[in-house]
Amino acid sequence: MRNRGRRSSNVLCLNTKDTTDTTTVARSFGTDDERVVRRAIRQISIGDFAHLPPLRDLKVLFNNPLHQQLLQHTYRTLYLDHLAIDEVTARVLSVILLSRQCKCRNLQLHRCSFTDSGRKVFFSALSIMAEYPADSHSGVSPISAKSSPNVALKMGLGARHQMTLQSRRSSDSHALALCAGMDNMAPMGLYALELCQLGLTDKKCAWLGSVLETQPYLQLLSLRDNHIGHMGIRRLIAPLARGCRELSVLDLSGNMLQSQGVRILTQFLVTSGQGLETLDISSNGVTLTGAQDLANVLVPEFNLSLKHLNLNMNQLEGGGCEAMGRMLLQNQTLEVLTLSQNNMFDNGCQALFIGLENNTTLLSLDISGNFISHIGARSIQTYLQSSRSQTGTDSQQTGLQSLNISANSLGDEGIGVLCGGLRTNRHLIDLIANNVDVTNNGMRHICQVLKAGAVNTPSLLTLSLRHNYRLTRNSYAELAEASKANRNILRIAADLQFEGWDEVWTKVEMILIRNTVYAMERYRVPLLMVARGRILLRKITHNTGSSSTGIYSLPVELRRMILIALDKHNVLNRIQHICALNIACSPAKHFSTKQELLAAVLGDDYAFVHEMVKTVHS
């Protein structure tokens, strides 16, 4: 069974080109035999629908509670790729979708084709999935999402919330069994639906809307790489508003919405899309008018919660980026913004970063492939050097943490200007500068930034310089020397295409390994000092008779020195050592989580250390 690169073991992939043989062979089998279920699963996985049991027997087999664990493990996520779905195939898949034991939650259809009869059967099954079937053994009454939407929705969301809480609290077998039981109580229905490269048109969106109207638990909807225009999105927003009240991710990339479709989409956001967190409308031919309509609704007065916005490969140009900049002056929810390949040019870059100067929530910005030169880089330098970006009132970083400026004609002059702002940077930790036409002179500016990172915190954690083919061996040798003085950099991506590159890259790798150890020590040492300090520095009563023996016979100052010696790499400063020792001497101070303890010891460096650990684990 081919899995197409997916790592999850509970994803079934059907990868057949044609299943035109509609003959079925009746076989006698025992419904309690697990081998029969495994044989049926294997035949479905290879597209052998001709030798499956009759549909009536298949329903009995797939609704047997004895096979619940196996079926849920296999069909929780159903992934169909390059499958020709006729009526017979659709009826078999309908058995899986409507089975009480399979509990299909995620459905992914990629590059599939339907016959008219197959489409009717398959999407009819999707329309009735939200019907909660009665269980004769438990005595549960059927709850219909169509007839009683509030009751069904409340029940499903409540079970899902309790399941999430239990999974976070514990990972033992009892908690996992409890989570599985709560998930089984939840009403049937899809939580994620992907219909990609199916050739959906405006006309076909009519029957798609009838399916979406019956999915009250849907959280992710992907319709990328189809042929949906403004008339199609008009037919979809009403069913989405009525049925998908929990939708948080909407992917419409690779369609033909254009600005007229974006205007219709903004009406949905204002009226029913307050819970939407991710919106992808990349490669849709959106122009200035669409950008203005979108910017007008992403303001606090409409109370939207959008966090991720992707406008990649559109036609915003300078005017559209100026509208995005005005929006960023007021928006306080957006965290990730992608504006790559939008013909931004220098004037659009300047307008965008003017809006960013007063924004404290945007964390990641992608402006790659926008014909930005050293003139536009000056606006980035001004932003990085601004007082709001350099300092924060608390331990949380304010300002961009990730910036992608790849595929722009910055050159050495643009890189020099950008590095001028990075030397005093207090928040940017991820810089992607692939294919920016930099030479050895520009690399010297980057090396100066890395050396400045030895004393500045925060500083860059990841740096990407791929596809800069004018860099030579001497440039990378300088990069290795500059990295040696920097204890923060954790990731460097580069293309080394010269003789003897392995010797230079080995030095860089050793430095990155050293810095990875330092990053984990910054997380481990405060916890270790407090834990051992509460043993070494505790007050001993005289009636125990142990105050004059062992470690407790040593002076308190000497015991403090023993604790400080735990920081053998000197990853903490003097103030942080004192904080850890004071907390160790105060057993009355309690912390509910490790994060609270680390924040108390590390102070303003906590957010940076937290990002370092995330980078290491990624």
Side-chain angles (χ1 to χ4, degrees):
M1 179 169 59
R2 298 181 62 183
N3 204 14
R4 287 189 171 269
R6 280 172 152 67
R7 298 181 181 178
S8 178
S9 60
N10 62 345
V11 178
L12 175 68
C13 300
L14 304 183
N15 188 21
T16 58
K17 291 291 184 180
D18 192 14
T19 56
T20 57
D21 187 4
T22 60
T23 61
T24 59
V25 178
R27 296 176 180 271
S28 60
F29 59 93
T31 58
D32 295 341
D33 192 351
E34 184 176 327
R35 291 175 299 178
V36 179
V37 181
R38 292 187 180 275
R39 189 185 308 121
I41 291 174
R42 183 168 59 253
Q43 289 171 342
I44 294 174
S45 66
I46 63 176
D48 184 11
F49 296 92
H51 297 89
L52 286 173
L55 282 178
R56 180 180 301 177
D57 297 334
L58 193 65
K59 290 179 182 178
V60 175
L61 187 67
F62 275 32
N63 283 291
N64 192 333
L66 295 177
H67 309 312
Q68 180 180 24
Q69 184 175 1
L70 174 62
L71 292 173
Q72 287 191 16
H73 178 78
T74 307
Y75 292 117
R76 182 59 55 94
T77 296
L78 182 60
Y79 176 61
L80 311 175
D81 187 10
H82 269 125
L83 186 67
I85 302 177
D86 57 6
E87 183 175 357
V88 174
T89 306
R91 291 189 183 278
V92 173
L93 296 176
S94 299
V95 173
I96 299 173
L97 294 174
L98 299 179
S99 170
R100 296 194 298 268
Q101 312 307 328
C102 293
K103 286 284 185 180
C104 182
R105 298 300 193 204
N106 307 315
L107 177 61
Q108 303 172 8
L109 273 69
H110 293 200
R111 294 167 290 188
C112 294
S113 59
F114 290 88
T115 63
D116 290 339
S117 57
R119 175 181 60 80
K120 291 179 181 179
V121 172
F122 186 79
F123 284 94
S124 295
L126 288 179
S127 299
I128 61 176
M129 274 192 70
E131 302 283 342
Y132 185 74
D135 191 341
S136 58
H137 299 285
S138 62
V140 179
S141 301
I143 298 177
S144 170
K146 189 180 300 182
S147 58
S148 306
N150 294 333
V151 177
L153 182 62
K154 183 177 180 181
M155 182 179 180
L157 297 181
R160 187 188 67 199
H161 177 66
Q162 292 296 329
M163 180 179 61
T164 304
L165 292 179
Q166 290 292 340
S167 62
R168 289 177 179 174
R169 291 172 184 169
S170 176
S171 59
D172 58 13
S173 58
H174 174 72
L176 294 177
L178 183 62
C179 295
M182 290 179 177
D183 192 30
N184 292 334
M185 291 177 59
M188 291 181 61
L190 292 176
Y191 290 92
L193 177 61
E194 298 184 17
L195 305 175
C196 306
Q197 303 184 45
L198 299 185
L200 297 178
T201 60
D202 293 346
K203 184 178 180 180
K204 293 180 180 179
C205 286
W207 51 261
L208 178 59
S210 63
V211 173
L212 296 177
E213 196 170 1
T214 60
Q215 302 298 330
Y217 321 110
L218 194 66
Q219 300 177 19
L220 182 149
L221 176 61
S222 177
L223 302 174
R224 60 181 174 86
D225 297 330
N226 286 291
H227 308 292
I228 302 174
H230 67 277
M231 291 302 297
I233 196 65
R234 185 185 297 275
R235 291 171 176 169
L236 288 178
I237 59 170
L240 283 175
R242 288 193 299 264
C244 306
R245 289 165 289 180
E246 289 297 308
L247 190 66
S248 60
V249 179
L250 179 59
D251 185 357
L252 296 170
S253 59
N255 284 285
M256 302 181 296
L257 298 184
Q258 299 183 339
S259 296
Q260 191 173 356
V262 172
R263 174 168 296 181
I264 298 172
L265 189 60
T266 56
Q267 297 173 2
F268 165 74
L269 293 176
V270 172
T271 57
S272 306
Q274 283 79 9
L276 197 68
E277 295 183 355
T278 301
L279 177 62
D280 189 345
I281 50 175
S282 58
S283 187
N284 267 282
V286 182
T287 59
L288 170 61
T289 306
Q292 291 175 338
D293 292 334
L294 195 58
N296 290 337
V297 300
L298 295 179
V299 292
E301 62 182 282
F302 290 107
N303 198 25
L304 300 182
S305 55
L306 196 66
K307 295 181 180 179
H308 302 259
L309 177 60
N310 190 344
L311 290 167
N312 176 36
M313 294 181 67
N314 283 297
Q315 303 168 15
L316 303 188
E317 300 183 345
C321 294
E322 184 178 354
M324 290 290 108
R326 291 195 301 268
M327 177 269 295
L328 291 174
L329 283 171
Q330 307 178 56
N331 184 278
Q332 296 299 322
T333 61
L334 209 59
E335 297 179 358
V336 179
L337 178 60
T338 303
L339 297 174
S340 59
Q341 302 183 56
N342 270 284
N343 298 330
M344 183 182 298
F345 292 98
D346 293 328
N347 57 343
C349 181
Q350 293 170 350
L352 186 65
F353 278 90
I354 289 175
L356 271 175
E357 290 182 358
N358 293 324
N359 186 289
T360 59
T361 58
L362 193 68
L363 302 178
S364 177
L365 177 63
D366 185 352
I367 53 173
S368 58
N370 275 298
F371 305 102
I372 300 173
S373 68
H374 65 280
I375 299 175
R378 295 190 186 279
S379 61
I380 304 178
Q381 179 192 31
T382 303
Y383 165 74
L384 293 174
Q385 292 177 337
S386 63
S387 58
R388 178 177 291 273
S389 298
Q390 291 182 27
T391 59
T393 57
D394 52 17
S395 61
Q396 294 185 351
Q397 303 168 7
T398 59
L400 282 179
Q401 295 184 14
S402 176
L403 177 62
N404 189 344
I405 56 171
S406 303
N408 286 299
S409 302
L410 298 180
D412 293 337
E413 185 176 359
I415 287 294
V417 170
L418 183 63
C419 290
L422 289 174
R423 292 190 189 97
T424 57
N425 161 59
R426 297 292 294 168
H427 56 87
L428 191 68
I429 59 177
D430 183 13
L431 178 63
I432 304 174
N434 303 328
N435 191 18
V436 292
D437 197 28
V438 64
T439 65
N440 295 348
N441 293 330
M443 180 63 86
R444 294 191 185 94
H445 295 293
I446 295 174
C447 293
Q448 293 175 5
V449 170
L450 293 179
K451 292 178 181 178
V455 294
N456 289 347
T457 302
S459 64
L460 286 179
L461 296 181
T462 62
L463 174 64
S464 181
L465 296 170
R466 301 190 64 187
H467 307 305
N468 289 293
Y469 301 113
R470 299 174 66 184
L471 296 175
T472 63
R473 176 191 175 93
N474 294 334
S475 298
Y476 288 109
E478 292 181 14
L479 180 66
E481 290 299 322
S483 302
K484 187 182 298 185
N486 188 304
R487 301 178 60 167
N488 297 327
I489 189 73
L490 298 174
R491 298 284 186 272
I492 296 179
D495 296 323
L496 285 73
Q497 298 183 352
F498 50 83
E499 186 177 356
W501 66 268
D502 52 344
E503 180 182 353
V504 176
W505 190 245
T506 299
K507 295 180 181 179
V508 176
E509 282 186 328
M510 295 301 296
I511 294 168
L512 298 181
I513 293 173
R514 180 204 67 181
N515 292 349
T516 301
V517 174
Y518 289 163
M520 297 310 298
E521 284 291 290
R522 286 190 176 188
Y523 181 86
R524 188 183 70 90
V525 168
L527 302 176
L528 194 62
M529 288 183 66
V530 172
R532 294 190 179 180
R534 291 194 170 180
I535 299 175
L536 296 180
L537 301 178
R538 65 180 178 177
K539 295 181 180 180
I540 305 300
T541 57
H542 294 287
N543 54 10
T544 59
S546 60
S547 59
S548 59
T549 60
I551 193 70
Y552 302 106
S553 62
L554 299 176
V556 176
E557 291 301 323
L558 185 56
R559 283 184 261 166
R560 286 175 175 264
M561 292 176 61
I562 293 174
L563 289 175
I564 294 176
L566 293 174
D567 185 11
K568 57 183 178 181
H569 296 293
N570 295 323
V571 294
L572 303 183
N573 57 38
R574 181 174 175 274
I575 297 177
Q576 291 168 347
H577 284 158
I578 295 175
C579 289
L581 294 176
N582 291 338
I583 294 174
C585 293
S586 305
K589 290 185 178 181
H590 297 285
F591 301 92
S592 58
T593 61
K594 293 180 180 180
Q595 286 71 23
E596 291 184 8
L597 175 58
L598 288 171
V601 174
L602 298 176
D604 292 342
D605 291 342
Y606 168 71
F608 181 61
V609 173
H610 180 67
E611 292 297 330
M612 292 183 76
V613 175
K614 284 173 56 178
T615 303
V616 169
H617 288 301
S618 65

